[in-house]
Amino acid sequence: MYVAVKGGEKAIDNAHEILEEDRRGDLELPEIGVGQISEQLGRAVDRVMTEGSVYDPELAALAVKQAQGDLVEAIFLLRAFRATLPRLAVSRTLNTGEMRIRRRISATFKDLPGGQILGPTYDYTHRLLDFGLMAEKAANEPSGETDPSDAGDQKSRDAEGPIPKVLDLLDRDGLIETFEAGAGDEAGEEEVGDLTREPLTFPAGRDLRLQNLARGDEGFLLALGYSTQRGFGNNHPFAGEIRLGEVDVEIVPEELDFPVPLGEITVTECEMITQFKGSKEQPPKFTRGYGLAFGHCERKAMAMALVDRALRTKELGEEPKAPAQDEEFVLYHSDNVESSGFVEHLKLPHYVDFQAELTLIRKLRQEHDDPGSGSEPAAERAEAGE
Amino acid sequence: MGDGTQVRGYNFAYLDEGTKRSIRRIILKAIAIPGYQVPFGSREMPLPYGWGTGGIQVTASILGPDDVLKVIDQGADDTTNAVSIRRFFSRTANISTTERTTEATIIQTRHRVPETPLHEDQILVYQVPIPEPLRWLEPRETETRKMHALEEYGVMHVKLYEDIAHYGHIATAYNYPALVNRRHVMATSPIPKFDNPKIDRIPALQIFGAGREKRIYAIPPYTEVKSLDFEDHPFSIETWDQCCAMCGDTESYLDEVITDDEGTRMFVCSDTDHCRRRRDDGHAGPGEPGEDAPGDDNGGAGKGLPG
Amino acid sequence: MAGTASTNSAPRASLPGLPGFKNPVFDTQRIFRRLMRTMSLPGTVVTIDGIDLPAFEGVMPASAATLMALADRETAVWIDGDLCPSGISDYLRFHTGAPAAKQRQEAVFALIDGRSGASAFDGFNPGTDEYPDRSATVIVQVEGFGTGQAKIIDGPGIKEPREISVQGLVAGFWSRWTANQGKYPRGVDLFLVSGEDVLGLPRSVREASKEPT
């Protein structure tokens, strides 16, 4: 006998139990710790913090653990947690010029003040599986004694203070555009939008665009950035500077007149330089694309900078031709919590609407086979006058 | 149905008070402009986008300790997502839940309007995936927003008219567009067009939440919701040749169920509460094919289809 | 039971102030539901009782309750000149973070007296064609419902055209209302308040022809 499907509740409970077993895996093996994840799977944690929009390595590591390493799921977990947090204050603008640098490279100059600092990078590794890491205790355990300054050619920078930014050097010659900072900008007080509180409207200002891209899916931005290099919105980019390191976060409380440091965070910053042919009003010059990510997320920061520049097409009076230059297309589809949710919602039952489609298709087929029977109103209940 | 405890570390009904406050302001504006989609600062919820986050945020913002909540998906209380959302609220708000339409003060739904008529003290909350009725005709929000502002709905009429020219009738079976308060065209969430007459001038307040698209819209009680049509092609709804196999109803929306490997079909009410109530009242249907009605007598529509 | 979390919008907890809601979570929910009811069933008077907020000179209980339940740091509030000395503005800022609006045009909420011609509701922001929701909600304090000038209203939320009567509105109020209605879907929305009673007038409500159909 047919009975309407019951027991959804029990099915969900069982599924959760099985999931938990699946997550834990073989009980003979020790459980992975959150500390191990944040220390040894740092790049995963950094991506989750960046796209999850919360700087907290421990929570991000927890999310990675809970999601079995599914980073989009982990990002979702962290976002859902973030959504319940009160917004207590707005920090001052980060001063990445004061960054305590661990890595800093520029593709646009062979050598420059502060030097090229390779730091922790896969760039020049040979991608050969290191079977030494298979062992519980790797044979090539690092000594922990490498001086970071050895991974570069910079000369005793401590004595000279902060390392100047490459684009500021170009700026001195007037070759690159400058952003007019508002009066309040210096003090970090200029009102910036927040698309987690007010949904996106178009045209989106630079603040909203960058916020959207910073939270955006790395893979999506990577593909779009890549497309601009392949002629879909060509903008001839150069990696002006990429820097990784620690910066201070400060707030100015309402009742105090001076900034109070909250601590430091690790960020990756990328400034792309692109050519601009000039217009009637403006001479030819270099323009900027900007990328910033929590932790060490270089690929993301670079892709973000490319897409940021591509989305400035209209502002610079260029003709938009490519998907990456289409603000609505990019900003509405960048968020992987939104996109994965909606794609995966197709798993939910849709049988009521499908039933409506079934009825319609049958009717259309019937009419197709027997044209005379077409729009006989008897087949449907007229509702015009109720 | 709450078990007397609430999930630790979270506010009543999950959302923080600041978020609820902003959503409440949005709901009031949505009520003041029936059918107009109000942008709101949708939050990430612990359930994924596309799985009812808009409806959940609306419900969480209006819900109080005295409310009785019913959650349905496809008309049924026991579909997994309905169970999951109902459980979310009994856990985070410790409120009473029900499967009976008549007992509920708030009904959150996906894809259906209950068969049982609603009254003034009930609120129907819809989960909406794509709130923009013009989206399939114009993908750009900047354009569709202008079209709503200018009451420029020509493209929609052209689309429906092309259907008629092509098929002899309007070939939209669900999410059938409607004009609210003679001003705004709205997406019907999507419910099957069978349900469109059930949202027109009803006594209950209807609120539509689209979480991922960050829009809320509403239909106040007794507000005209006119399904778009043409004088010579009036709006009409689906009918079935069959009745519900379980309760015998000939008026309700029926789901088609395949009962064996040969593709034998039967039809049952999509609204599980409605069907149960009718059976409690002594109504009965023909039952499962092969049981009470041997030899596949379940009507013409199922015949001639590839099994 | 539930509701331990407080609002996250009190900006400076160190400042001295009068007490706010006894139970912020459930008080605000209850107030909102009544406001939503009168907004969705225009002409229906709801009563906001059992909310024990401090009294402010000239400010009616339902006015204070409405603002306390809906305002926050993102909503500038305009307070009518005569009501300013009451201190309601500072109280709202302390408990909800809502800033005082300097111009009428920037107010998201406004509190005005129904008899004061200078405080006409039509000076507030009616929203834009593309975003008609970005309009002000104006609380108009009146003397009472059920007496005074009668009007028959119709529109969404109204089953049959119904009569409402309001005591204590400035002359010309209803012609201003018709002008507001004429901007639809733009326009301001009103809560008429008398003591603990509230009558919602969304912009969609129009004056009906004299004889109800």
Side-chain angles (χ1 to χ4, degrees):
Chain A
M1 170 65 194
Y2 168 83
V3 276
V5 191
K6 279 274 176 194
E9 192 135 356
K10 197 157 179 8
I12 290 177
D13 282 338
N14 289 342
H16 289 175
E17 215 164 291
I18 295 167
L19 173 69
E20 186 49 30
E21 285 169 16
D22 195 46
R23 186 194 66 72
R24 179 59 183 84
D26 187 350
L27 292 171
E28 297 288 306
L29 295 171
E31 185 170 355
I32 191 167
V34 166
Q36 288 170 310
I37 294 171
S38 62
E39 285 302 308
Q40 296 174 43
L41 299 177
R43 300 288 176 93
V45 168
D46 289 351
R47 178 171 174 198
V48 170
M49 289 198 300
T50 297
E51 293 171 37
S53 224
V54 174
Y55 192 93
D56 190 320
E58 192 181 21
L59 288 181
L62 172 63
V64 171
K65 173 175 175 173
Q66 190 179 329
Q68 296 177 273
D70 178 338
L71 297 191
V72 173
E73 181 69 25
I75 288 159
F76 178 18
L77 284 168
L78 199 57
R79 285 269 195 95
F81 175 77
R82 179 196 193 274
T84 67
L85 299 176
R87 182 163 126 155
L88 298 174
V90 179
S91 77
R92 299 178 81 211
T93 308
L94 291 185
N95 186 352
T96 50
E98 299 276 344
M99 181 186 282
R100 289 173 289 288
I101 283 179
R102 287 194 279 136
R103 168 167 166 78
R104 185 268 194 140
I105 54 164
S106 170
T108 49
F109 297 97
K110 178 162 191 268
D111 194 11
L112 66 170
Q116 310 266 13
I117 307 166
L118 288 184
T121 178
Y122 287 103
D123 284 353
Y124 302 102
T125 62
H126 297 152
R127 269 61 165 205
L128 302 170
L129 280 175
D130 178 359
F131 293 103
L133 290 175
M134 289 275 268
E136 284 295 310
K137 173 98 176 162
N140 52 354
E141 193 91 339
S143 67
E145 283 165 12
T146 317
D147 180 346
S149 63
D150 291 348
D153 64 351
Q154 99 278 20
K155 302 107 192 163
S156 62
R157 69 174 193 276
D158 291 345
E160 295 166 22
I163 297 179
K165 298 181 88 172
V166 175
L167 273 71
D168 292 344
L169 302 173
L170 283 173
D171 191 18
R172 261 177 241 161
D173 299 332
L175 295 175
I176 192 158
E177 62 177 342
T178 51
F179 287 107
E180 293 302 322
D185 203 30
E186 297 272 296
E189 287 163 7
E190 190 171 285
E191 192 76 23
V192 289
D194 179 354
L195 51 81
T196 69
R197 308 178 72 80
E198 289 280 337
L200 207 51
T201 53
F202 295 100
R206 186 162 185 258
D207 49 348
L208 291 180
R209 178 174 72 235
L210 291 175
Q211 185 190 9
N212 176 288
L213 297 178
R215 290 158 56 93
D217 183 75
E218 179 175 312
F220 178 74
L221 296 185
L222 182 65
L224 282 174
Y226 173 52
S227 72
T228 68
Q229 291 179 274
R230 288 193 65 261
F232 287 82
N234 199 345
N235 53 23
H236 303 287
F238 297 95
E241 181 170 3
I242 294 164
R243 48 170 64 193
L244 161 74
E246 281 66 43
V247 290
D248 294 324
V249 179
E250 298 175 331
I251 58 165
V252 182
E254 207 175 324
E255 58 271 30
L256 303 175
D257 290 339
F258 51 87
V260 177
L262 295 181
E264 63 170 31
I265 62 173
T266 304
V267 295
T268 310
E269 183 185 54
C270 172
E271 293 200 83
M272 287 284 179
I273 301 172
T274 60
Q275 194 193 90
F276 174 61
K277 290 199 180 73
S279 62
K280 275 184 200 131
E281 295 82 30
Q282 304 180 61
K285 63 185 173 190
F286 290 118
T287 53
R288 302 169 189 242
Y290 187 77
L292 186 77
F294 286 149
H296 193 174
C297 289
E298 213 160 293
R299 190 186 303 117
K300 166 66 183 276
M302 293 177 74
M304 176 178 168
L306 289 175
V307 177
D308 172 45
R309 172 59 184 86
L311 289 177
R312 296 180 56 210
T313 297
K314 265 193 203 159
E315 165 200 335
L316 292 166
E318 299 164 337
E319 192 195 342
K321 281 182 268 189
Q325 297 166 325
D326 184 332
E327 186 180 44
E328 279 202 50
F329 176 77
V330 174
L331 300 189
Y332 265 154
H333 301 108
S334 61
D335 192 291
N336 58 27
V337 179
E338 290 171 11
S339 55
S340 67
F342 199 46
V343 167
E344 296 195 42
H345 109 287
L346 295 173
K347 292 182 279 191
L348 289 178
H350 284 77
Y351 57 76
V352 160
D353 290 346
F354 186 70
Q355 184 68 51
E357 287 280 86
L358 263 182
T359 310
L360 177 65
I361 286 282
R362 277 180 190 141
K363 186 175 169 198
L364 294 177
R365 287 173 62 90
Q366 201 183 356
E367 287 163 11
H368 182 266
D369 295 345
D370 180 12
S373 77
S375 39
E376 262 185 49
E380 302 219 341
R381 233 185 280 159
E383 280 292 327
E386 280 197 274
Chain B
M1 231 197 280
D3 57 4
T5 55
Q6 199 182 302
V7 181
R8 274 181 308 147
Y10 290 100
N11 191 21
F12 175 80
Y14 185 80
L15 287 180
D16 61 283
E17 289 302 304
T19 300
K20 285 185 194 170
R21 199 172 273 250
S22 70
I23 292 176
R24 287 168 183 165
R25 292 196 300 259
I26 297 293
I27 290 173
L28 292 175
K29 288 297 174 192
I31 290 168
I33 319 168
Y36 163 77
Q37 306 159 50
V38 189
F40 83 109
S42 176
R43 305 295 197 264
E44 281 89 355
M45 299 299 288
L47 282 77
Y49 282 126
W51 300 57
T53 54
I56 292 170
Q57 289 180 78
V58 169
T59 298
S61 301
I62 65 179
L63 194 69
D66 300 331
D67 276 310
V68 180
L69 179 69
K70 172 181 163 84
V71 184
I72 49 175
D73 186 342
Q74 313 295 303
D77 297 274
D78 49 18
T79 36
T80 43
N81 203 44
V83 170
S84 161
I85 291 171
R86 189 164 55 237
R87 188 191 274 194
F88 174 76
F89 281 113
S90 26
R91 272 193 193 160
T92 58
N94 191 29
I95 44 128
S96 307
T97 61
T98 183
E99 296 191 0
R100 291 173 193 253
T101 303
T102 47
E103 287 173 0
T105 56
I106 298 173
I107 301 170
Q108 181 169 327
T109 180
R110 174 169 174 264
H111 292 190
R112 271 311 314 271
V113 179
E115 307 285 359
T116 312
L118 303 177
H119 55 76
E120 262 188 25
D121 294 319
Q122 293 179 307
I123 301 166
L124 190 54
V125 177
Y126 295 82
Q127 304 169 198
V128 183
I130 304 279
E132 177 51 71
L134 305 168
R135 184 60 71 231
W136 307 117
L137 307 168
E138 169 51 62
R140 282 169 203 286
E141 169 69 15
T142 37
E143 290 302 315
T144 51
R145 188 154 285 276
K146 250 180 246 153
M147 290 154 87
H148 285 294
L150 300 171
E151 206 173 348
E152 178 57 67
Y153 295 128
V155 285
M156 182 63 91
H157 286 101
V158 168
K159 191 257 164 197
L160 297 178
Y161 197 78
E162 279 173 354
D163 272 7
I164 292 171
H166 194 240
Y167 304 110
H169 52 80
I170 293 169
T172 298
Y174 61 91
N175 211 14
Y176 191 103
L179 186 66
V180 184
N181 188 31
R182 305 183 184 197
R183 176 59 182 79
H184 285 98
V185 169
M186 67 159 236
T188 53
S189 97
I191 50 175
K193 70 174 178 174
F194 177 89
D195 283 342
N196 275 28
K198 287 195 274 163
I199 66 174
D200 178 23
R201 281 167 286 176
I202 65 170
L205 168 64
Q206 305 175 73
I207 310 176
F208 299 75
R212 184 181 42 79
E213 296 282 338
K214 303 171 179 59
R215 299 288 185 274
I216 286 172
Y217 54 107
I219 306 175
Y222 310 114
T223 302
E224 185 185 89
V225 182
K226 188 176 184 323
S227 302
L228 298 184
D229 61 1
F230 298 93
E231 246 170 55
D232 46 346
H233 289 276
F235 174 76
S236 60
I237 60 172
E238 302 95 329
T239 55
W240 283 261
D241 298 335
Q242 301 80 5
C243 63
C244 170
M246 300 180 67
C247 78
D249 197 358
T250 54
E251 300 286 312
S252 80
Y253 192 88
L254 300 179
D255 293 331
E256 192 169 326
V257 182
I258 300 174
T259 53
D260 59 29
D261 293 352
E262 274 68 57
T264 309
R265 283 156 165 75
M266 67 184 284
F267 289 80
V268 290
C269 287
S270 136
D271 185 333
T272 49
D273 174 62
H274 172 77
C275 194
R276 178 201 52 77
R277 212 169 51 141
R278 279 181 53 85
R279 278 178 281 131
D280 288 353
D281 290 347
H283 295 280
E288 192 172 344
E291 201 179 50
D292 297 331
D296 187 4
D297 193 27
N298 67 330
K303 286 178 181 167
L305 280 179
Chain C
M1 218 191 85
T4 46
S6 66
T7 61
N8 62 21
S9 44
R12 282 163 296 179
S14 58
L15 280 185
L18 294 162
F21 290 119
K22 292 222 161 48
N23 189 329
V25 173
F26 297 132
D27 287 351
T28 51
Q29 188 271 342
R30 208 155 56 84
I31 294 166
F32 165 72
R33 278 290 279 275
R34 290 183 190 178
L35 294 173
M36 183 167 84
R37 184 170 179 82
T38 185
M39 236 358 173
S40 57
L41 292 165
T44 305
V45 174
V46 295
T47 303
I48 296 177
D49 51 4
I51 303 290
D52 196 16
L53 292 174
F56 296 91
E57 179 73 37
V59 178
M60 294 174 176
S63 305
T66 299
L67 291 170
M68 280 287 282
L70 294 178
D72 64 21
R73 66 176 70 192
E74 285 160 16
T75 60
V77 180
W78 169 273
I79 305 285
D80 201 357
D82 295 346
L83 302 171
C84 281
S86 67
I88 181 79
S89 215
D90 290 341
Y91 176 74
L92 277 176
R93 173 143 176 87
F94 176 77
H95 283 284
T96 70
K102 293 183 189 73
Q103 309 284 332
R104 275 172 201 230
Q105 270 295 319
E106 74 187 36
V108 175
F109 290 104
L111 173 58
I112 66 175
D113 190 295
R115 285 160 309 182
S116 158
S119 302
F121 62 82
D122 46 5
F124 296 100
N125 181 10
T128 65
D129 286 334
E130 295 197 353
Y131 294 97
D133 56 294
R134 295 178 184 173
S135 63
T137 301
V138 183
I139 299 168
V140 182
Q141 299 198 144
V142 300
E143 287 160 15
F145 303 119
T147 58
Q149 197 183 4
K151 286 283 163 188
I152 296 166
I153 58 168
D154 197 3
I158 301 171
K159 190 177 182 184
E160 303 285 349
R162 62 188 290 182
E163 189 178 282
I164 59 165
S165 44
V166 184
Q167 181 86 46
L169 286 171
V170 68
F173 174 91
W174 289 107
S175 62
R176 279 182 177 144
W177 181 252
T178 302
N180 183 61
Q181 218 280 318
K183 294 180 194 154
Y184 190 87
R186 296 191 306 137
V188 300
D189 306 304
L190 305 187
F191 286 117
L192 305 184
V193 164
S194 169
E196 293 186 334
D197 293 340
V198 186
L199 191 154
L201 273 187
R203 70 193 79 179
S204 54
V205 166
R206 56 189 179 271
E207 204 182 330
S209 51
K210 291 288 170 273
E211 62 278 16
T213 45

